[in-house]
Structure formats: C-alpha cells, structure tokens
Amino acid sequence: MLTITSNNNNKEPKKVIWIHGRSHPSESPASWHLEGMIEQLLNNSEYSKALRENCIFYIVPFINPDGVYGGYSRSIANGVNIEINWDRPDSLTMPEVKVLKKTLENVLSKNNIDVFLNMHSQIANSVTYWIHDAKSTTPDFFRKQVLFSNLTINGNPYYKSEHQSFSAIAPRYAEGWIWNKVGEKSMALTFETPYTYYNENPTGEWVSIENLYELAKHSLYAISDYLLLNAHERVVVDNPIVSKQKLSLNNDSKIMFIGDNYIQSSKDNAKITYQTPVLKQGNYEVYKWIAGECKEISKNGENIWQKCDEINIRRDKKVKYRIKLENSGDKADALLFVRKSN
Ligand SMILES: [Zn+2]
C-alpha cells in the first residue's frame, strides 16, 4: 500500500482517500489511469503539494497481484473473483480480501475514509461510475455520488453524463461492505475506463496512456472539488458571508449542491459576498457551481462549473467576491478559483 501525504503544520484534520485497483487482472487500462493519478499526486505543482498537505491517500494499486502476475482474467490464482468476495464468512473469504478488510478497518479506526474508489475497466466503450441508487442507500448519498461523478465530467472530454451507471448497493462488493460499516460517511464508488475508445465514439480518441493520464487529472479535480479543498491553484469557496438579505440556506437532496447546503434567494437582485482564503498573486478564472436537479442525466448547463469571470490578483491576499442573484428563487452554491498564470 502506498501512503501519499506530507508533513506540515496544517491544523485541519486531513481528508482521507482510499483507492484500490486491479481486482480483475485483465483490466490493465485501470492501472494506467491509477498510475496517472499517482504520478500527478507526486509531482511538484502547487496543486499536488496542496493535495498532499490536505489529504492522506492510501493506494493499493494491485489488490490481486498473483492474478496479474499469473495472467488470469477476473480471478485470483485459485479461480475466485475477489470483487464479489466481501460478504462471505471468514472461512470462505480469500486472503487478499481478508488483508484489505483488516487494513481498511485499521484506517477506519483512526479516521473516516472520505472518498473510496475501486478502479476497473469495462467492455462498454465509455467511462463510468457505478452509482448506487437512492432506494438502496439514501437520497443524500445518491446526491453525493452523482455530484462526485458530475465533478469528474466537468470539462472532461472523456466522460459524459449519459454514460453513468446505476445499480443497487450490495454487500458482496467492497462499496457495500463500507456502506454497512459507515453509511453515508464514505463516498464509495467503482470507476471504469474503457479498453477501446471514449464516449461510444469509434471515430473519436482511442484509449492511450496519455489520455488515461489526462482522465486521471479530472479524477483528482473531482476529489479536491468534492472535498472543498483550498488546493492553491484550484480553490473551492463554499460558504459565502450571508447578509441580512432574504436568503435561505437549503439542503434539499433533489438539488445537486456542493458541501452542506446552497443558498436560495426570496427576492430579486440579492447580492452575496464570498470571502476566499489567501490567494497567491496571479490570473484566475472564477467559476460558479450551477446546482441543478439531481437526476440520472443532468440537464444541459446544470451541475457544472460555469465560468463567470477572470480576475487578476496583484499580491497574495484574501479576496471578497460578490455575485448577484437576479430573480427570486435563484440559487447560489460554491465558487471555484482556478489559477492560470502569474
Ligand atoms: Zn472489473
């Protein structure tokens, strides 16, 4: 297991991300994608430094090393598929799963696991997450998963809303095992990359190490945005300074909001001020999250970071940023500041 983090004086408790891959040995694109995530977590960019300062990543790149070494397709050396081995009694549980459960229990005894990802590749010619439906979990857990998926889709040429997958949560999978332990506290999903091309489009880009690395960048953006991180070059600001104007804080899980709530105005022309943490001097693009309906397929223009401004910050400082809600009923949620240059 790789542990990726950094020693620093950050007083906030670190977010915990668990990622494992390759329970199915034949799914090698999943490993190139995960390698892309690891490479980017270890590089010297301000963004990667911030991820290490704010998070602990526990990564098991090969949970089925014998299967990979032996050239098996979907099983360990004795023919068992360890992807669906999580709800058996101890006597029938494979050693690989026993060790993983013990390691996960050890991590969970100290911290919550905020994000849990299980990396695979699939026959369909598209990228997907297996999102657990609201009926088998809760409406708010459904919102969190679809939000995470939409944060991965945002600005990503390799993944589209219509390619998301939905199923009931089941204890035979790792995600179901985690759900039974901690419920909504861990956002646990299986992610799949294709073998062939993206977006069901054979005339488009075919899968390569380069574009799996590019996809990995979007997987990291989803993590840092979902966890509302101040990641130096990518800063999410979720809680505005709410004035005495007629604004209400809502948390209706039918709306795909970020963080704990969103703001809704009950009059026209309401103004809302956000206070950023210290932003380094430079040019920034500013985006606002357009919180739309929380559905299986998002409407065009909803559940995205919509660019609303470009600003130049001449010296390192906190910035007050104001937005206006024109009509009564309009919603405001998180802002995102992306640093483009010095
Ligand atoms: Zn698989």
Side-chain angles (χ1 to χ4, degrees):
M1 182 168 75
L2 307 171
T3 303
I4 302 177
T5 186
S6 68
N7 295 323
N8 54 45
N9 300 321
N10 195 343
K11 289 183 187 69
E12 298 281 312
K14 292 195 182 209
K15 302 288 186 186
V16 177
I17 297 101
W18 173 284
I19 307 173
H20 72 224
R22 221 57 194 279
S23 65
H24 293 145
S26 60
E27 298 175 6
S28 55
S31 284
W32 293 108
H33 169 257
L34 181 50
E35 184 179 89
M37 291 180 79
I38 294 167
E39 290 269 325
Q40 286 165 71
L41 279 173
L42 295 175
N43 76 24
N44 280 326
S45 71
E46 287 297 317
Y47 176 68
S48 301
K49 264 186 226 168
L51 289 187
R52 297 193 297 269
E53 283 167 10
N54 286 291
C55 307
I56 307 174
F57 289 83
Y58 296 110
I59 302 179
V60 188
F62 296 94
I63 67 167
N64 179 2
D66 291 353
V68 171
Y69 186 80
Y72 293 86
S73 178
R74 291 177 68 80
S75 71
I76 56 174
N78 66 4
V80 174
N81 176 3
I82 55 169
E83 187 62 18
I84 49 169
N85 192 238
W86 289 70
D87 62 342
R88 297 180 188 184
D90 267 3
S91 60
L92 293 173
T93 298
M94 294 301 113
E96 290 84 346
V97 175
K98 270 190 193 166
V99 171
L100 282 169
K101 282 184 180 175
K102 212 172 148 193
T103 313
L104 280 161
E105 273 164 353
N106 190 24
V107 172
L108 284 169
S109 70
K110 293 178 208 128
N111 297 98
N112 182 39
I113 293 174
D114 299 286
V115 173
F116 174 102
L117 296 175
N118 177 4
M119 301 309 204
H120 288 254
S121 296
Q122 65 169 357
I123 294 165
N125 305 302
S126 57
V127 166
T128 204
Y129 284 106
W130 283 95
I131 294 167
H132 309 100
D133 59 28
K135 210 174 139 200
S136 65
T137 58
T138 66
D140 204 49
F141 191 65
F142 180 74
R143 172 190 66 83
K144 288 179 177 179
Q145 297 171 91
V146 191
L147 169 66
F148 192 85
S149 176
N150 276 267
L151 288 167
T152 315
I153 290 167
N154 187 82
N156 181 348
Y158 305 112
Y159 182 30
K160 289 193 184 340
S161 181
E162 60 263 37
H163 296 135
Q164 298 174 111
S165 305
F166 300 88
S167 65
I169 201 149
R172 65 182 178 279
Y173 298 110
E175 293 84 355
W177 183 82
I178 288 270
W179 171 259
N180 286 336
K181 289 230 169 266
V182 297
E184 289 187 0
K185 280 165 62 187
S186 282
M187 212 287 309
L189 286 169
T190 282
F191 183 70
E192 310 249 14
T193 64
Y195 295 99
T196 47
Y197 38 83
Y198 296 97
N199 306 319
E200 297 290 350
N201 177 15
T203 61
E205 242 181 284
W206 282 59
V207 171
S208 68
I209 294 174
E210 289 73 23
N211 54 42
L212 287 166
Y213 267 48
E214 189 60 29
L215 182 62
K217 200 186 282 179
H218 291 281
S219 299
L220 291 178
Y221 291 161
I223 291 172
S224 60
D225 293 356
Y226 177 80
L227 296 173
L228 311 174
L229 294 188
N230 167 8
H232 299 338
E233 301 195 325
R234 191 174 177 93
V235 178
V236 179
V237 181
D238 189 38
N239 291 318
I241 308 163
V242 177
S243 66
K244 291 193 184 90
Q245 295 171 331
K246 288 183 180 157
L247 300 166
S248 59
L249 285 174
N250 294 335
N251 60 2
D252 178 355
S253 47
K254 290 199 276 305
I255 300 296
M256 202 185 292
F257 62 89
I258 290 188
D260 293 331
N261 46 45
Y262 59 95
I263 285 173
Q264 201 151 16
S265 169
S266 49
K267 64 163 202 171
D268 293 346
N269 294 318
K271 293 183 187 72
I272 299 173
T273 306
Y274 292 75
Q275 167 89 68
T276 71
V278 174
L279 296 178
K280 284 209 170 119
Q281 62 87 218
N283 292 310
Y284 287 80
E285 290 176 351
V286 186
Y287 296 82
K288 55 183 176 183
W289 181 253
I290 307 298
E293 266 183 279
C294 193
K295 297 199 305 186
E296 291 197 352
I297 296 181
S298 291
K299 270 192 210 151
N300 253 342
E302 286 189 351
N303 307 323
I304 55 165
W305 287 117
Q306 186 186 73
K307 191 173 166 188
C308 56
D309 207 354
E310 287 179 18
I311 57 170
N312 175 260
I313 297 169
R314 289 200 182 79
R315 60 182 173 80
D316 299 3
K317 63 171 182 180
K318 292 181 180 176
V319 174
K320 281 205 168 75
Y321 191 87
R322 202 149 81 153
I323 65 167
K324 195 164 89 174
L325 297 181
E326 283 181 11
N327 301 308
S328 170
D330 282 357
K331 296 186 282 293
D333 199 355
L335 297 182
L336 172 68
F337 294 78
V338 180
R339 189 162 181 259
K340 300 312 271 188
S341 59
N342 286 330

